[in-house]
Amino acid sequence: FNLKDVSDGFNTSHIIHRLEFGERVPGVESPLEGTAKIVLKGAYMFHYYIKLVPTLFERDDGKSQYTHQYSVTGQEKDVLVRQGELAGLPGVFLVYEFTPFMVQKSVKEVPFSHFLISVCAIIGGVFTVAGLLDALLYRTTKRWKGKAHI
């Protein structure tokens, strides 16, 4: 581009409707989806630093789906210092970084027996604590009554 074309500003307004790396998986959000940056004056440089994490989703029906999740940080700067003078290149830049690790997510249903065992454990814990409190109160009142008769 010609510097004379951006002497009074350069419109780098943008809307990111959808950005995915791999297949769309229900429940996985796209952080940049719906991002809108509007430039009214100046010449802006937008940097999006994206960290990609390879992810393997294993469903309970045995099917696997390979995709990427990502996180993003952004930075924006007006590079039009003075009329006709730029301190950088106006535009929208996506900088990618792949992580060397892979996340594996498995969807497993918890059986009803697990719920029943948890309920029994809670009830057993309540009876145990109640028994300990009862024994403590019984011994305490017995000692107080013993001291009162002396």
Side-chain angles (χ1 to χ4, degrees):
F1 69 92
N2 191 344
L3 188 58
K4 292 177 185 176
D5 295 337
V6 295
S7 62
D8 58 342
F10 188 77
N11 190 355
T12 53
S13 298
H14 60 280
I15 299 173
I16 301 174
H17 296 284
R18 188 169 156 181
L19 182 65
E20 296 173 352
F21 301 92
E23 296 179 36
R24 183 171 270 237
V25 177
V28 176
E29 294 187 21
S30 176
L32 280 177
E33 197 167 299
T35 300
K37 301 288 183 173
I38 307 300
V39 177
L40 299 174
K41 184 180 177 186
Y44 273 78
M45 172 173 53
F46 295 95
H47 273 136
Y48 295 102
Y49 300 97
I50 300 170
K51 289 193 175 192
L52 289 164
V53 180
T55 307
L56 181 65
F57 288 94
E58 294 179 349
R59 297 187 299 210
D60 54 353
D61 62 357
K63 293 183 179 179
S64 296
Q65 192 171 8
Y66 181 77
T67 189
H68 287 82
Q69 296 182 86
Y70 70 94
S71 64
V72 66
T73 56
Q75 183 180 10
E76 58 187 71
K77 178 182 178 183
D78 188 1
V79 294
L80 186 63
V81 180
R82 284 185 221 104
Q83 187 79 12
E85 186 178 336
L86 292 175
L89 185 63
V92 178
F93 303 95
L94 302 173
V95 181
Y96 303 94
E97 180 183 337
F98 288 92
T99 59
F101 303 105
M102 181 174 173
V103 174
Q104 185 174 355
K105 290 187 176 182
S106 301
V107 176
K108 295 182 181 177
E109 288 188 30
V110 179
F112 186 68
S113 61
H114 181 57
F115 171 73
L116 290 177
I117 291 170
S118 296
V119 169
C120 290
I122 291 170
I123 292 171
V126 168
F127 276 108
T128 302
V129 170
L132 289 171
L133 286 175
D134 180 53
L136 179 69
L137 287 173
Y138 176 75
R139 288 183 185 158
T140 304
T141 55
K142 192 174 180 182
R143 284 186 188 158
W144 280 62
K145 284 182 181 180
K147 288 182 182 179
H149 291 291
I150 296 178

